[in-house]
Structures are given as C-alpha cells and as structure tokens.
Amino acid sequence: MTKTIQVKTRSRTEFINITDEVRQVITDSQVQSGICYVYVPHTTAGVTINEGADPAVVKDILSTLNSLIPHKARYLHMEGNSDAHIKTSLMGPSQSIIIEGGKLLLGTWQAIFFCEFDGARNRQCLVSIITN
Ligand code: ZN
C-alpha cells in the first residue's frame, strides 16, 4: 500500500516536519507491525530524520548545508541548481521506520523532515508500508 503526501514548500531551501502526516498514513492503514518506507521522488528534495523538539537543530543543519554548498559556484550543470542536487544526495531520497503496536518507533526527539533544496514548489512524498 502506497500513499502520497502532498508537500507545499515556501522557500528555496527549507525543512518541513512531515511526522504527523506520516503517522496519519500508519493510523489509516491499521497496520500493527511492519516497516514504513518514506520516499521522495525528486532530484532536488530529500528526506531526513533528526531532532524535532528544538527547531533550531534543522535550521542549523540547513544553514550549514547552505554555507558548505553555495547556490552559485563553478558548477557544470546548466540548470543553475547543482547545489540542490548535491544537498539532495547528502540527505538521500528515503527513510525507513519500524512500526510496532500500530506506531512509528521514532525516538523521543526524532522527527521526519522533508528537505526542500530548490523551492518553492508543490512536492510529493510517498509512504509505503511493508507489513510483517
Ligand atoms: Zn537541475
């Protein structure tokens, strides 16, 4: 079973907490035990899991990525968004989270973040559940 979460991004680069939307897919599925596979089908956006309690953490991750990988540099790719492609490969296109008792086994401080690197755009995030 695969569901699509629509993600509307508002900045060129931003992290959006999608944990509640992913949890809703699990709840709706009524699956008790399995794997939740979160996949972003884009080349300039990815997904990561990190601290959701303090929003400064993902701001620091994003500002560090943006300073390490500047928007404008001597890139070869003609589209002008090579930085977005590089940041996307660093974050990766997918995450897997264990489901037990109908709940995502995220750590206390963990949250799932959609990572936009070439917005603002309308994006998609696929959530597929593999049952045990
Ligand atoms: Zn490109």
Side-chain angles (χ1 to χ4, degrees):
M1 186 217 66
T2 301
K3 292 271 176 154
T4 302
I5 296 171
Q6 305 293 338
V7 182
K8 188 171 179 59
T9 65
R10 297 174 194 286
S11 304
R12 181 159 194 275
T13 63
E14 70 178 310
F15 280 32
I16 296 176
N17 189 333
I18 57 168
T19 312
D20 288 346
E21 288 83 350
V22 176
R23 281 206 171 103
Q24 191 61 50
V25 174
I26 310 304
T27 302
D28 293 346
S29 75
Q30 299 186 321
V31 168
Q32 291 301 302
S33 179
I35 301 289
C36 173
Y37 187 71
V38 180
Y39 185 80
V40 173
H42 301 293
T43 60
T44 55
V47 62
T48 193
I49 294 175
N50 213 302
E51 174 160 342
D54 180 1
V57 172
V58 288
K59 284 186 183 159
D60 284 342
I61 294 172
L62 187 56
S63 66
T64 302
L65 284 171
N66 285 339
S67 62
L68 287 172
I69 308 157
H71 184 186
K72 302 292 179 198
R74 298 180 66 184
Y75 302 120
L76 298 177
H77 179 48
M78 296 297 286
E79 212 179 11
N81 62 353
S82 274
D83 65 312
H85 291 290
I86 295 165
K87 291 167 196 165
T88 297
S89 276
L90 288 174
M91 294 297 100
S94 66
Q95 294 291 333
S96 306
I97 307 116
I98 299 164
I99 304 164
E100 274 307 335
K103 300 209 179 308
L104 288 177
L105 293 192
L106 287 170
T108 306
W109 309 111
Q110 284 184 315
I112 307 162
F113 291 93
F114 183 93
C115 311
E116 175 63 86
F117 296 119
D118 196 20
R121 300 194 198 198
N122 291 314
R123 299 289 206 173
Q124 294 188 332
C125 179
L126 309 179
V127 179
S128 195
I129 299 171
I130 304 149
T131 54
N132 285 342

